[in-house]
């Protein structure tokens, strides 16, 4: 009986101690969360507001701003503004290219296409309509812009809501100038929610109930503690700008083709580029990016040309698996609705994706011949549209290569 009483009391005592330990742990976790949240909000409240009150103020300020963190060495909107501000004769520019890193590899001047700028970069996944902001910056910097080639890769599909990283909040005034395009065409899927959310945001929105830590989570990574990780430099001092011409082209020349021994191996389902495709169709009908481009072009008298660059055949198989057809069908709808050309080079029968020597990796044509073929195919597609009003010109590789042999000869073997 004594033993039972002792054991019962011991068990009760153990449970009590465990309960107190759990409660104490929970209290410490909540306390730590609150302290970190308060610290983040206090730090943000001390910062000078990065968001300008108007787009014109923002455009004037960007070339003199400082950058840090992920903005260092990545071609964001701020680098494009700083770069184009140095262009010697803005009035001569008549055409431009916007897109992701798949479009940064274009060299129009090398292949005999004058008066063109390349404003592609890494902003498309940092802020909703980032690609359209690339184009709007080019329109503001180059008053005689007449044509914009818009990369329309499957990867560019985004949900119909505002998505913005902390260091891209400063671009909200520029984003808000696009609001009238949405109000004039309420049938653009997703755009209303984007601008409602954009209108309610400020750079130092530290009074809401949503955790601020979530927006600053990248700053709590181990890499942010390393020496130099928090360094801030003027955007004009970014070494990236030294690698680019004033029109946005990469300096120097790519190798002609990729040798077989240097080709990336065939990707598998766990490859990061395959993983990025998995949830795209679940976000449909997306944010209406390409409808917005068509309306933007109509508003400013600029011809918009949609194009889908080819990817390697192994990555293409995953695009098909994860909903490429739905993406292409929507682009065909946009092309027909607004009567703008769509040059789709991401098709097996055209002869690009099966030749892996054209690609530097699974989806970048960063070889001289690959970049040249992409550029010349877009030129041929526009010519077909202007001559025959062909909204979806089919540009096969073999005839194009034959017609452009002399221009491609600049690629040194």
């Amino acid at each position: 009986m004594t033993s039972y009483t002792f054991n019962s009391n011991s068990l009760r005592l153990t449970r009590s101690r465990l309960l107190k330990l759990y409660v104490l742990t929970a209290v410490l976790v909540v306390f730590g969360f609150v302290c970190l949240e308060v610290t983040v909000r206090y730090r943000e409240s001390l910062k000078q507001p990065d968001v300008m009150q108007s787009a014109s103020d923002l455009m004037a300020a960007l070339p003199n701003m400082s950058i840090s963190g992920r903005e260092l060495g990545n071609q964001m909107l701020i680098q494009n503004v700083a770069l184009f501000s140095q262009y010697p004769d803005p009035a001569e520019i008549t055409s431009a290219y916007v897109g992701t890193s798949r479009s940064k590899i274009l060299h129009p001047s090398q292949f005999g296409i004058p008066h063109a700028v390349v404003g592609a970069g890494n902003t498309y996944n940092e802020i909703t309509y980032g690609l359209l902001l690339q184009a709007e910056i080019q329109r503001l910097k180059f008053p005689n812009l007449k044509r914009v080639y818009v990369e329309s890769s499957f990867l560019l599909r985004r949900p119909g809501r505002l998505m913005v990283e902390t260091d891209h909040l400063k671009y909200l005034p520029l984003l808000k100038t696009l609001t009238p395009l949405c109000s004039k065409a309420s049938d653009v899927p997703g755009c209303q929610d984007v601008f409602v959310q954009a209108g309610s945001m400020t750079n130092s929105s530290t009074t809401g109930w949503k955790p601020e830590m979530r927006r600053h989570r990248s700053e709590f990574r181990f890499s942010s503690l390393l020496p130099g990780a928090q360094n801030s430099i003027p955007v004009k001092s970014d070494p990236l700008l030294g690698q680019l011409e004033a029109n946005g082209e990469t300096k120097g020349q790519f190798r002609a083709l990729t040798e077989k021994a240097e080709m990336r191996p065939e990707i598998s389902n766990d490859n990061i580029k395959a993983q990025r495709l998995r949830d795209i169709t679940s976000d449909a009908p997306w944010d209406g990016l390409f409808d917005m481009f068509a309306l933007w072009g109509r508003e400013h008298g600029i011809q918009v040309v949609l194009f889908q660059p080819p990817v390697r055949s192994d990555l293409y198989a995953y695009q098909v698996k994860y909903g490429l057809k739905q993406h292409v069908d929507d682009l065909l709808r946009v092309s027909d609705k607004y009567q703008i050309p769509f040059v789709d080079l991401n098709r097996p029968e055209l002869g690009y994706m099966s030749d892996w020597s054209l690609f530097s990796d699974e989806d970048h044509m960063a070889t001289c011949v690959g970049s040249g073929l992409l550029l010349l195919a877009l030129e041929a597609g526009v010519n077909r549209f202007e001559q025959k009003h062909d909204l979806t010109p089919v540009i096969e590789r073999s005839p194009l290569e034959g017609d452009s042999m002399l221009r491609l000869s600049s690629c040194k073997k």
Side-chain angles (χ1 to χ4, degrees):
M1 186 70 177
T2 303
S3 176
Y4 173 78
T5 302
F6 174 78
N7 291 337
S8 178
N9 289 337
S10 298
L11 183 61
R12 191 178 298 113
L13 185 61
T14 300
R15 287 177 176 173
S16 176
R17 287 175 175 173
L18 284 174
L19 181 60
K20 289 179 181 178
L21 181 61
Y22 292 150
V23 171
L24 180 61
T25 301
V27 169
L28 289 174
V29 169
V30 172
F31 180 74
F33 175 86
V34 171
C35 287
L36 189 56
E37 180 69 13
V38 169
T39 301
V40 170
R41 289 177 179 243
Y42 178 71
R43 188 192 64 175
E44 290 301 302
S45 69
L46 295 178
K47 285 184 176 181
Q48 290 295 325
D50 290 327
V51 172
M52 301 294 159
Q53 295 302 311
S54 70
S56 58
D57 289 342
L58 173 65
M59 291 292 290
L62 282 173
N64 301 310
M65 283 186 179
S66 294
I67 56 174
S68 62
R70 294 173 307 120
E71 287 188 309
L72 291 168
N74 282 309
Q75 194 169 344
M76 304 290 192
L77 297 177
I78 189 170
Q79 279 93 349
N80 284 347
V81 176
L83 188 69
F84 296 149
S85 296
Q86 302 171 16
Y87 197 84
D89 187 5
E92 73 176 12
I93 297 299
T94 56
S95 62
Y97 302 83
V98 297
T100 70
S101 54
R102 290 148 197 79
S103 297
K104 283 167 62 176
I105 51 88
L106 295 172
H107 282 81
S109 62
Q110 179 181 344
F111 297 99
I113 299 176
H115 313 312
V117 292
V118 180
N122 303 92
T123 294
Y124 74 98
N125 62 347
E126 305 293 329
I127 184 172
T128 298
Y129 299 143
L131 208 69
L132 187 52
L133 296 183
Q134 291 179 6
E136 179 66 358
I137 283 172
Q138 291 169 329
R139 184 187 72 83
L140 294 173
K141 301 302 288 185
F142 304 109
N144 293 322
L145 190 63
K146 301 301 181 187
R147 178 183 296 147
V148 174
Y149 296 87
V150 179
E151 181 189 333
S152 50
S153 297
F154 187 30
L155 192 63
L156 285 162
R157 293 297 187 177
R158 290 291 180 272
R161 64 177 183 274
L162 180 65
M163 300 176 70
V164 55
E165 294 289 340
T166 305
D167 49 11
H168 275 52
L169 285 168
K170 58 178 168 286
Y171 301 124
L172 285 179
L174 193 60
L175 176 63
K176 291 175 186 177
T177 62
L178 305 175
T179 306
L181 299 177
C182 181
S183 61
K184 291 179 181 178
S186 58
D187 60 333
V188 175
C191 75
Q192 294 286 356
D193 289 339
V194 169
F195 291 110
V196 167
Q197 293 174 47
S200 64
M201 289 191 69
T202 60
N203 189 51
S204 57
S205 55
T206 56
T207 57
W209 60 269
K210 293 184 178 180
E212 285 293 300
M213 286 193 304
R214 181 176 58 85
R215 294 200 296 119
H216 300 272
R217 59 188 180 275
S218 62
E219 300 173 26
F220 303 127
R221 296 171 182 161
F222 176 75
S223 59
S224 67
L225 303 176
L226 297 177
Q230 299 299 324
N231 286 351
S232 177
I233 63 171
V235 63
K236 290 180 181 177
S237 300
D238 191 341
L240 171 74
L241 299 185
Q243 303 169 23
L244 302 171
E245 303 288 355
N247 72 337
E249 292 185 35
T250 304
K251 290 182 179 179
Q253 192 178 78
F254 300 119
R255 58 187 172 185
L257 293 166
T258 300
E259 298 293 335
K260 188 172 183 179
E262 298 174 333
M263 292 179 189
R264 296 277 186 90
E266 182 175 350
I267 67 171
S268 59
N269 197 45
D270 61 354
N271 185 285
I272 184 61
K273 293 189 178 181
Q275 292 177 8
R276 288 173 181 167
L277 303 173
R278 290 178 183 170
D279 299 324
I280 292 178
T281 51
S282 64
D283 292 326
W286 304 301
D287 60 2
L289 170 65
F290 302 111
D291 291 79
M292 292 289 288
F293 255 112
L295 294 168
W296 173 85
R298 181 184 296 175
E299 176 80 9
H300 300 294
I302 295 173
Q303 182 188 45
V304 169
V305 180
L306 302 178
F307 74 93
Q308 185 165 216
V311 299
R312 250 176 30 175
S313 55
D314 54 338
L315 182 58
Y316 175 78
Y318 287 101
Q319 288 186 334
V320 172
K321 179 180 178 181
Y322 292 121
L324 178 65
K325 184 179 184 303
Q326 188 175 351
H327 165 67
V328 172
D329 286 346
D330 188 62
L331 291 172
L332 292 172
R333 174 194 63 81
V334 171
S335 174
D336 181 66
K337 179 177 180 179
Y338 301 101
Q339 294 294 289
I340 59 177
F342 168 42
V343 185
D344 187 6
L345 303 174
N346 196 36
R347 297 163 57 180
E349 66 272 19
L350 301 184
Y352 301 97
M353 65 177 60
S354 59
D355 184 357
W356 289 17
S357 68
L358 297 176
F359 298 86
S360 55
D361 59 20
E362 300 87 353
D363 54 355
H364 290 80
M365 300 183 83
T367 61
C368 185
V369 176
S371 175
L373 286 174
L374 174 56
L375 194 71
L376 298 174
L378 298 182
E379 181 186 59
V382 168
N383 290 338
R384 189 88 54 86
F385 170 75
E386 292 180 339
Q387 295 167 6
K388 301 180 180 179
H389 197 68
D390 187 351
L391 288 173
T392 55
V394 177
I395 311 298
E396 297 182 25
R397 176 185 173 181
S398 294
L400 176 67
E401 209 162 18
D403 294 341
S404 308
M405 187 177 299
L406 181 60
R407 296 167 77 178
L408 290 171
S409 65
S410 64
C411 296
K412 298 176 181 178
K413 302 294 183 182

